[in-house]
Amino acid sequence: MITSAQMKAARALLGMDQKKLAQACGLSVPTIQRMEASQGNVRGNVESLVRVIDALEAAGAILISEGMVSDTGGRGVRLKF
């Protein structure tokens, strides 16, 4: 699962606007906007969510989910390179 804050943070770290993310994952800009407007975990169909996560990871983001090893705990985002 990914939170809307992680999604926005990943885009920011990658220098990606909503249009570029939509193109990278084959979704519409309004779909990206709806996902980012979610409170807490991103809501949407699973296939769309997987496409977004795959596009962000392919662009170089590492999405840190709850329970993953992290110095400070909690969720987050960092760059691979």
Side-chain angles (χ1 to χ4, degrees), residues 9-17 21 55-61 78-79 81:
R11 277 195 315 98
L13 284 172
L14 296 166
M16 212 179 226
D17 62 16
L21 177 58
L56 291 171
E57 289 179 342
R78 65 177 158 240
L79 294 176
F81 349 96

Side-chain angles (χ1 to χ4, degrees), residues 1-2 7 21-22 24-36 42-56 63:
M1 218 24 104
I2 182 176
M7 192 170 162
L21 177 58
C25 62
L27 298 172
S28 68
V29 173
T31 298
I32 300 299
Q33 292 170 335
R34 278 192 302 274
M35 292 173 121
E36 289 189 354
V42 171
R43 294 191 338 218
N45 87 34
V46 174
E47 180 184 341
S48 295
L49 185 55
V50 168
R51 289 166 74 172
V52 167
I53 291 169
D54 288 347
L56 291 171
L63 303 167

Side-chain angles (χ1 to χ4, degrees), residues 54-80:
D54 288 347
L56 291 171
E57 289 179 342
I62 298 172
L63 303 167
I64 304 164
S65 62
E66 195 68 43
M68 285 182 69
V69 176
S70 176
D71 292 337
T72 59
R75 296 175 186 241
V77 178
R78 65 177 158 240
L79 294 176
K80 289 181 187 175

